Amino acid sequence: MNDILGANNSLLDYALVVLLYGLMFLLIRYPRPHLELNYRTNYFFLVILWAFLMFTGNYLFYRLGVMTFLPWLNNLLHSCVWVGLCLGWLYYCAHERPLWEQFILFAFTSFLVKMAEHAVLGSWARDSYLGIRNPYAYLVVMSIVDGFYPIISQWIIQALGRKSTFGIYAPRLA
Amino acid sequence: MLMASQKHFLLTAQERNLKSYLRLLFFIYVGGVLVYLLPAIGLLPAFLKPYPFLIDPAFANNSVIKMGLFAALCFVAAGDVRRFLVTVEAIMVVMCLAVVSGVILILTAKNNYVMQVGNSTLSIKTMLLYSSLFDAVLNGILIVLYNKAQKARYGLQFFTPMQFRTLQALSDVLIEGDEELITDREVALNVDRYMSSFLGKTKWVSKLSLVGIELYPLFFLKPATSYMRPEDRKAFLERHFYQDVALRMAPPVLRMLVQAMIRMGKQLCFMGYYNDPRVHASIGYEPFSQRADSKKRLEDLPYQNNQPLQVLAEKDVETDTLDWDGVVIVGTGPGASVMAKGLAEQNVPVLLIERGEHTDPSQFNEDEIDMVSRLYADGALQLAADFRFQVIQGSAVGGSSVVNNAVCFDTPDSVLDRWNDRGGIDAGLDLLRYKQCNQHVNEMIGVSRIDNTPNTMSREEYLNPGGKKFIEGIHNLGLDAAPNVANSVSANIRQCVGCGYCNIGCRWGKKLSMLSNILPQAQKLAGADKFRIIAGCEVIRLKARGGKITSLIGRFRNGRKIDVRGKTFVVAAGAVSSSILLQRSGIAAGRAGKRLSFNVGSPMTAVFPKGQIINSYKGLQISHYLQVDPSRGFIFETWFNPPMFQSTIMPGWWEDHWKNMHRYNRMACTGVLVGSDSNAEVRIAGLTAREVRYQPTQKDFDTLLDGLQLAGEIYLAAGAEAVMPNTFRYHEYATGEDLKRMKYDIKDNSDITLGTGHPQGGNILSRDKSIGVVDEQLKVYGYENLFIADASVFPTAVGVNPQITVMTFADYAVPFVAENAGAGAGGVKVITPEREPVKD
């Protein structure tokens, strides 16, 4: 059970995390509450792609020793709900902004959520990382990694949009 | 300055990248050899001391051999990446194997012992994971660079290097003659150009077929197809792709797949070879532009362009949501165009949305590959689910009317009676009004008997010369007497120049297609603001609220979607596409797409003795027909094509096909059309989400064979030295007695190529709501503002060319649609036959 929920975690703790995701989603969705017709396929594609990549990547990188173990339910919710749905929508709202702005926005929001998960579930904990002896080093580096979400997503959308693969639409850049 | 010949040998930038990477790999592997070898002989460097397993002699020995071999292969390959390409392929295959074996061991190995590494431990599975990841990354980069290098070397745009090589290898053995005029590589490049020139949903089938053909020999422990010597390759193809299929030696499913693969492979090779202008003279073909009398013909019958059609492309549609205060029509084919024109005459604003692109007739040319890719749906590669039945449809502004033969037949009375049979389909058509619409359509599109067409030349000069032979045979057999009808066809063609390019678009404006005739007329009448056409936009869904369609979603080829709102919607995208659209939209569930039927066709080719040059390709592609006593159930139409099309329906393999193509100018051809039973269906399924399922009934199949036999007899009576149906196994019949064998040679549809350009039904008209999708006003049951006006409403196959029937239906429905849109005369009095209470 520890592998699924994490040590000392109950479903109530997870409900709290989901509530946090929901509140963050409300905030993220604020500037653009509705998906435009031409962005729907892109959104759902990114949701599925990132959720899958994150879920498998988190485990694989744990196996490689690059990351700490995320309890399975934590990994599932973080990958699907936070990275998939919430960051997907954040990208929808922010994808026309300069890349450096997007990078900061993604890294910062990610940091907030990871902090919350760390506080509630005890995950994302590591005493030192990359030679830095500070418990926040791991959190900061992982958040910075999340900052690459918009850069990678843009590259994928542009690449697939060239031939409208999977129905992806990439508008011509001005 | 570099000479051209020197440039040929220069490596492309991508090849140079591959070369550099191979050098890098060489050093990596040499490094690997040293890492494993040095500790084993007691020279363990300090930085490797934490890894004691390196001094295990067995481990080190295996690793040195592996690394050494890779290093040697990389060294050789980097020397000449063109000459030693096979070495690169060997590295890629073995590396893939290494990764796969690593994954299998990680997942299944029981002995997961732990090794001491410095101050910590490492399990052997984790070690394997690292090494597999390392191999995967190195190999991934190699594969990418290899593909880029190969694509750059040949300028490939569609096929992968492996598929391209397979195509070359196939062409090497399938096109087998004494003096091939273009190389196998040029054939494959022609095909690559063709396949890259259009967007289609079934293009993957061609790739898959080539991969299948390449790898199939591995099951027999033989090298891949392209690695075989040509003699062995031909022997293998003969044994496993020809005999196993023709003699039914393979199990049914495998046989179907193998047959589909080789059919596709053959077609591609023949297209690539016979479309090339360098080949044309060798088969006795002269393109129209090079014929001695073409200039005179064009001077006598000059090009007549109608008012150019104004068509919007994706870039012209500025917003993603359009509000159209009128009728929105899906499609621009015969049904859509006649409907649009009728509405325009009643001052109803019309917006037409077409999946295909717009090509002005002035851009039509003699390059069959170019025109097929521009004007046909899926580049004419649409196949039924069992890959044995080809459904060919136009996809351009003007729809199939741009590429059809313009042959016009009124709906036969017997068919109308069957449709209106109250005990059967119960279509409920007002036959008097239907006939009036039929007459109106004939006048509107300018139908006339083709030999009565005003023309400065004699009919012999522009009709298909092969038709003359056909008529001669009919006369010799006494088949030209009543109740049979043998004549030149009626068509919406005026002052034909006889170029023979009906199926690739009439450049000269002689075929009065929707593109050249009806749409420009209607746009001129209504004004471009009230009569808009959007091209290159596929309608993917109709959105409904309650019983009302509120809008439709269209998608351009770049993926952009638009939401189009309107008052009334008319679906006229053709039998297959309309049915699919309704299914995607959840409309008429369980009925849409059912009861699909066709005019199933298959050609009979005749070859005449040496010295009798016929040149059937010069002149109208379909010029004559024979309608035998209706109870026989088929109709003949003479038909001949420019070389590329003809080569794909030309019977024969290997040297037989070559021989036949080199008798091209002594041949004539007739298509036998049979109105099929309504036992087919189209549904959202399969990898293309557009699956046509069809198996001819025994009755239809027997009728077709009956027709083919009679067609053969007619040509033999006209002096043909042999006749050939388009069978999988090659058969040539030289006498009437021989022909009797045909029924035993062709056992089922796997033995013969069947196809259609006339899909019908799918959303049939019936007052019985349990089977009908539309009512007698062509309005979809359950929806107050949705109509259908194309061949999908046909309750059964008409058995003749359907364009007049399609247009008649559209004309018939115009008042209902206009009234629904709140305009028009309204109050059309339709007298429908008395009927039983409507079944719910």
Side-chain angles (χ1 to χ4, degrees), chain A residues 37-38 41 63-64 161 163-164 167-170 172, chain B residues 129-130 133 314 320 553 557-563:
Chain A
L37 177 67
N38 271 305
T41 310
R63 289 296 305 265
L64 292 174
K163 288 188 180 174
S164 191
I168 298 291
Y169 172 57
R172 283 182 291 273
Chain B
L129 182 65
Y130 286 138
L133 275 177
E314 187 268 333
D320 292 342
I553 303 291
R557 292 186 173 187
N558 63 359
R560 182 185 160 202
K561 292 183 186 134
I562 51 172
D563 191 341

Side-chain angles (χ1 to χ4, degrees), chain A residues 18-88:
Chain A
V18 172
L19 181 68
L20 174 87
Y21 291 156
L23 293 173
M24 287 295 283
F25 186 68
L26 276 183
L27 205 64
I28 287 168
R29 197 170 154 267
Y30 192 73
R32 285 174 114 161
H34 299 292
L35 272 178
E36 283 167 16
L37 177 67
N38 271 305
Y39 197 81
R40 278 176 208 164
T41 310
N42 297 13
Y43 175 72
F44 290 113
F45 175 80
L46 287 176
V47 167
I48 292 166
L49 179 77
W50 278 111
F52 174 76
L53 286 182
M54 271 296 148
F55 187 77
T56 51
N58 284 343
Y59 179 68
L60 199 67
F61 283 115
Y62 153 70
R63 289 296 305 265
L64 292 174
V66 179
M67 291 176 69
T68 56
F69 177 72
L70 274 182
W72 288 109
L73 187 57
N74 190 182
N75 191 7
L76 187 75
L77 291 174
H78 183 84
S79 303
C80 298
V81 182
W82 173 245
V83 178
L85 296 171
C86 297
L87 289 190

